[in-house]
Amino acid sequence: MTSLRQHLQRRRLADFFILLLALVVVWQIASWLVGDEIVVSPAETIAQIGVLYRRPTFWGHFDATLLAFAYAASITIVLGLGLGISLGISRAAYDTCEPLLMALASLPKVTLYPVILMFFGVGFSAKVVFGVLHGVVPITLFTMNAVRNMPAIYARVARLHRLSARDRVLHMLIPAVLPEIFSGLRLGLSVTLLGVVLGEMFASTRGLGSMLMGAIGLADFRTVAAVTFMLIVLATLLSSVMLWLDRRLHHGAK
Amino acid sequence: MTAVRKRQIALVGGLLLVIEFLCRVGLVHKTTLAPPSVMLATLADEFASGRILPDLGETLICILASTIIATIGGFVVGLVLNSFPRLRDAVRPILASYYSIPIFAFYPALAAILGLGIAPIIITAVLNSIVGMIIATEDALDRFPRVLVKLARTHRFTWWQQALHLQLPAMLPNLLGGVKLVVAYSFIGVIGSEFLMAAIGVGYQISYSYNEFNVPRMYGLMLLVVILVALANLLLNVPERRFASRAMGRRGE
């Protein structure tokens, strides 16, 4: 049995790498068809990353993005969980706010960037707020749903044991909803990163996003390709780690 | 009117009143935020003068095109992936992390290749929205009850009958969830791209007003976007609620 499972796992991994290889081939063909100046080939993209890597200003941009993401992620998590739990506990609050939040989730938040600029000015806080703005709604929605869908019997057991409000949250609510909430965090933090980068594209002079916009302005497509590729790798790495944790949590819950 | 609706109206209305008050009293400066009444008046004026109509038409056409392409495309890709389990397993990690990829980062390059028109906007919106439909289609296929396949066999359904009378109705609620996502992400894709770089469209007009320091018009057009999103949600909720009530009724029988 184990050998069969190992075999399947190995095959799945091999399939995944074959797919990645196929994507690189498609990219290369697109580059040949459209022209190397606009669709930069995979090899040249990697080479350009090497060039950027040696550029002294690059790490400043890289650090700025990571720092803004760290701030935005912390604020998003605290705000999203707080809102989600407090809105999820009450049925009336849930029914009232859920459709409104759904509508908010489908709003193009890029258009809110002038508002953010007017309130926060160009710079670090604007991109942090932009990240929070993107991530907080999905996390709130997932948390609300998780709290709402908690089996009613848990609440009854808590009442039976006369748990205090604090104990009820710490020992019943959080362990019960953690796997669900984590799925929300995975999605929410991914869009938070997206929001930070978007914020940098328009409301900042530092970070990978502003580097991207600068390169677009100079029609430097090699740097555009290199930075976009790095952003994709960064986002995929973040998402993969979260997905792995997510699976483990859900597995533990069963 | 239900109690929930009343509370929603009270919440939104209360929020608007607070903003109105803050602006009128001068706690928030006029150049930062326009009072809601001014937003509404500017928006009404945009419609009365007909100034926004060409932009609105262009935006709606792009959203419609993206919705149709992404819905059909996502459905087909979902079907194909489902027929090849190995391919599906390989694609799955990519789909899972798809939403964290900054699609907007591709838009300027697309605009450079295709020129500043509706094509790069629609492509960006489709790229932004198609994955929701792929995932919804796969979900719908996964949830299709095996017993219905057996039922079709006992009734000697043809392939076509089975698809039309069993599979499609059974999958419809799930697919509809996918369409809702597609519409939402198409909105984000189209208006976002227009905002970044375009020659026409509601998104472009918002950025234009911002650059012109025309704060009331900018907020008025943002209000238009909010109203459009709310209307689209409302429209898509109608069939969903019908499905839900039908499913409930069946359970009650």
Side-chain angles (χ1 to χ4, degrees):
Chain A
M1 272 313 272
T2 7
S3 72
L4 180 67
R5 194 178 300 152
Q6 269 175 353
H7 170 73
L8 278 176
Q9 241 168 17
R10 220 172 292 152
R11 197 179 77 173
R12 196 169 294 171
L13 206 64
D15 283 350
F16 180 64
F17 281 110
I18 292 170
L19 183 75
L20 284 187
L21 199 68
L23 287 177
V24 172
V25 170
V26 170
W27 179 4
Q28 180 65 56
I29 292 172
S31 162
W32 279 327
L33 287 180
V34 183
D36 196 42
E37 311 84 54
I38 293 176
V39 178
V40 181
S41 71
E44 284 190 41
T45 304
I46 303 294
Q48 184 67 16
I49 291 179
V51 173
L52 293 179
Y53 184 85
R54 282 191 297 273
R55 217 179 265 173
T57 50
F58 171 75
W59 289 104
H61 286 300
F62 194 79
D63 286 351
T65 300
L66 285 190
L67 188 67
F69 175 65
Y71 269 87
S74 326
I75 298 173
T76 309
I77 292 173
V78 172
L79 209 63
L81 290 188
L83 273 174
I85 290 176
S86 46
L87 291 176
I89 284 176
S90 142
R91 161 129 221 146
Y94 176 86
D95 285 345
T96 310
C97 296
E98 204 256 0
L100 296 178
L101 282 171
M102 282 302 274
L104 217 57
S106 52
L107 213 63
K109 277 159 274 290
V110 194
T111 51
L112 290 179
Y113 123 93
V115 186
I116 305 294
L117 278 192
M118 283 173 178
F119 278 91
F120 296 93
V122 172
F124 188 73
S125 42
K127 61 185 181 187
V128 171
V129 172
F130 220 66
V132 173
L133 207 64
H134 275 77
V136 79
V137 176
I139 293 183
T140 306
L141 274 170
F142 264 85
T143 311
M144 271 166 84
N145 281 318
V147 173
R148 205 60 256 154
N149 293 335
M150 195 182 60
I153 187 115
Y154 292 0
R156 258 179 259 156
V157 172
R159 211 175 308 138
L160 191 71
H161 286 278
R162 306 206 176 159
L163 292 185
S164 65
R166 182 177 151 274
D167 282 349
R168 206 176 293 179
V169 170
L170 275 184
H171 297 296
M172 178 197 76
L173 198 71
I174 291 182
V177 298
L178 200 61
E180 287 277 309
I181 286 180
F182 202 81
S183 304
L185 286 185
R186 181 167 67 80
L187 196 78
L189 290 186
S190 296
V191 281
T192 303
L193 178 63
L194 183 70
V196 167
V197 172
L198 279 176
E200 284 175 346
M201 282 171 81
F202 312 108
S204 181
T205 50
R206 288 170 62 78
L208 294 176
S210 86
M211 222 177 136
L212 190 65
M213 273 318 250
I216 289 168
L218 295 171
D220 177 3
F221 284 106
R222 284 161 165 258
T223 304
V224 173
V227 175
T228 309
F229 185 72
M230 269 190 285
L231 283 174
I232 291 174
V233 171
L234 199 66
T236 313
L237 264 180
L238 171 76
S239 167
S240 307
V241 171
M242 300 280 284
L243 194 64
W244 180 73
L245 282 172
D246 195 358
R247 289 233 175 92
R248 292 204 56 161
L249 269 175
H250 274 282
H251 202 68
K254 268 167 200 167
Chain B
M1 195 184 287
T2 58
V4 171
R5 224 349 94 78
K6 273 185 202 157
R7 275 199 300 269
Q8 279 172 355
I9 292 172
L11 186 69
V12 175
L15 215 61
L16 287 176
L17 279 180
V18 169
I19 298 172
E20 182 84 33
F21 176 77
L22 288 177
C23 293
R24 293 289 175 189
V25 168
L27 274 171
V28 178
H29 199 263
K30 245 190 281 176
T31 50
T32 312
L33 187 63
S37 58
V38 175
M39 290 183 204
L40 202 63
T42 332
L43 183 59
D45 185 51
E46 286 288 324
F47 275 96
S49 66
R51 204 146 76 98
I52 195 64
L53 294 181
D55 296 281
L56 183 61
E58 185 91 356
T59 300
L60 291 180
I61 287 173
C62 288
I63 291 172
L64 192 68
S66 157
T67 303
I68 292 171
I69 297 172
T71 303
I72 296 174
F75 182 68
V76 172
V77 173
L79 280 184
V80 169
L81 284 183
N82 209 60
S83 331
F84 301 97
R86 277 179 73 177
L87 181 65
R88 178 181 159 160
D89 282 345
V91 170
R92 193 162 274 178
I94 297 180
L95 289 185
S97 52
Y98 189 82
Y99 280 125
S100 51
I101 295 172
I103 302 290
F104 284 119
F106 295 120
Y107 175 67
L110 278 174
I113 300 170
L114 300 167
L116 213 58
I118 74 174
I121 293 178
I122 293 176
I123 293 176
T124 310
V126 168
L127 286 177
N128 207 29
S129 55
I130 195 168
V131 167
M133 193 65 199
I134 298 176
I135 293 173
T137 307
E138 285 198 15
D139 260 6
L141 287 167
D142 276 348
R143 285 184 191 179
F144 185 70
R146 291 271 157 263
V147 65
L148 288 184
V149 180
K150 285 186 194 154
L151 182 74
R153 216 170 294 148
T154 37
H155 284 277
R156 304 205 176 160
F157 272 16
T158 60
W159 180 87
W160 180 242
Q161 280 175 319
Q162 186 179 329
L164 199 69
H165 296 296
L166 279 178
Q167 264 158 338
L168 210 59
M171 282 164 60
L172 219 49
N174 266 314
L175 293 182
L176 204 71
V179 176
K180 270 178 81 169
L181 279 180
V182 167
V183 172
Y185 280 96
S186 293
F187 257 99
I188 296 179
V190 168
I191 296 180
S193 316
E194 284 175 351
F195 182 84
L196 301 185
M197 213 193 276
I200 190 170
V202 175
Y204 164 71
Q205 290 298 342
I206 293 176
S207 99
Y208 182 79
S209 310
Y210 169 68
N211 292 325
E212 258 201 336
F213 301 107
N214 192 345
V215 177
R217 181 162 187 264
M218 181 187 93
Y219 279 106
L221 294 178
M222 284 180 180
L223 182 66
L224 176 63
V225 175
V226 174
I227 293 173
L228 286 178
V229 170
L231 275 180
N233 272 335
L234 218 61
L235 275 177
L236 285 165
N237 276 338
V238 173
E240 194 176 51
R241 216 169 287 145
R242 264 190 48 202
F243 283 129
S245 64
R246 255 173 54 189
M248 294 277 220
R250 228 178 276 150
R251 220 169 290 148
E253 273 165 17

